[in-house]
Amino acid sequence: MTAPPDDCLARNEWICGAYLTSRRHILWDAVLQHLQLTVIAVLIGLVLALPLALAARRRRWAAGPVLGVATVLYTVPSLAMFSLLLPVYGLSAALVVSGLVLYSLTLLVRNILAGLRAVPEETRQAARGMGYGPVRLLVAVELPLALPAAMAGLRIATVSAVSLVTIGAIVGYGGLGNLIYAGMNTYFKAQVLTASVLCVVIAVLADLLLLLVQHLLTPWTRRQP
């Protein structure tokens, strides 16, 4: 019996509206897991990267080892990274998050450190002359001026994490990657295309959102008319 001419699922077409309507709950759950894994990993990476960058700036001897270790971690292939972490975390979401955190450290540490180093020394001296202590100097002067470079690293790390989450499908925690992996195994065209497009959409929207946040937090960088 041939498939009805209007049954795009039965014809296994790449673009199929019936797939979106019939699997919307599956797609929504996959999107939520994808976002959850990405946000948690990037936030943890940011929390770890900030003190590492501060230590590398204040103690010059620490900059080489910190950047070196972060760079080596970034060069490890994703499958190999997950395999190395598997004995520690098992087949869990923590395995995927930990791998993403390690990958994000290189981008975040380098950019935060570059931003801190770019703060003019005369600005620091002026702030000290106004009575700013080390903590107030860091919070009120150095971090705000380093924000553009730090946000650039955060944007790249976030977009990279959105992409790398899909690799988590090998352990069942890949968000949209689970649908892509299953769709490729069964040659389910609509599922592969839809999940792939949603990954791209999430990456673009995340980048635009962070760009907007950067624009709002750094009004002094806007060009004057």
Side-chain angles (χ1 to χ4, degrees), residues 76-90 95 170-171:
V76 178
S78 54
L79 291 178
M81 178 70 78
F82 289 161
S83 297
L84 293 173
L85 296 174
L86 185 60
V88 179
Y89 297 101
L95 171 66
I170 61 174
V171 295

Side-chain angles (χ1 to χ4, degrees), residues 27-179:
L27 287 169
W28 180 245
D29 289 341
V31 168
L32 288 180
Q33 185 183 76
H34 207 105
L35 291 173
Q36 184 180 33
L37 292 170
T38 300
V39 171
I40 292 175
V42 173
L43 287 179
I44 294 176
L46 187 59
V47 169
L48 295 176
L50 182 57
L52 288 174
L54 290 174
R57 183 183 66 86
R58 292 184 178 180
R59 297 173 176 82
R60 292 184 180 275
W61 61 266
V66 168
L67 294 176
V69 171
T71 301
V72 169
L73 290 174
Y74 195 77
T75 62
V76 178
S78 54
L79 291 178
M81 178 70 78
F82 289 161
S83 297
L84 293 173
L85 296 174
L86 185 60
V88 179
Y89 297 101
L91 299 176
S92 65
L95 171 66
V96 180
V97 171
S98 299
L100 296 177
V101 168
L102 294 177
Y103 279 124
S104 68
L105 282 179
T106 300
L107 299 169
L108 293 173
V109 171
R110 282 187 178 277
N111 282 71
I112 295 174
L113 181 58
L116 292 172
R117 285 176 170 174
V119 177
E121 185 59 31
E122 55 269 23
T123 302
R124 294 192 180 95
Q125 294 297 337
R128 293 189 185 100
M130 296 172 62
Y132 280 48
V135 176
R136 188 181 178 191
L137 174 64
L138 174 65
V139 175
V141 178
E142 294 180 314
L143 287 180
L145 292 178
L147 195 57
M151 287 298 297
L154 181 61
R155 289 169 58 195
I156 298 173
T158 301
V159 172
S160 298
V162 171
S163 174
L164 289 172
V165 164
T166 58
I167 306 299
I170 61 174
V171 295
Y173 293 92
L176 291 165
N178 293 339
L179 299 182

Side-chain angles (χ1 to χ4, degrees), residues 147-148 150-156 158-159 203-219 221-222:
L147 195 57
M151 287 298 297
L154 181 61
R155 289 169 58 195
I156 298 173
T158 301
V159 172
V204 172
L205 291 179
D207 187 57
L208 292 175
L209 177 60
L210 290 174
L211 184 61
L212 176 61
V213 171
Q214 177 180 342
H215 182 74
L216 294 175
L217 293 179
T218 57
T221 61
R222 303 170 194 169

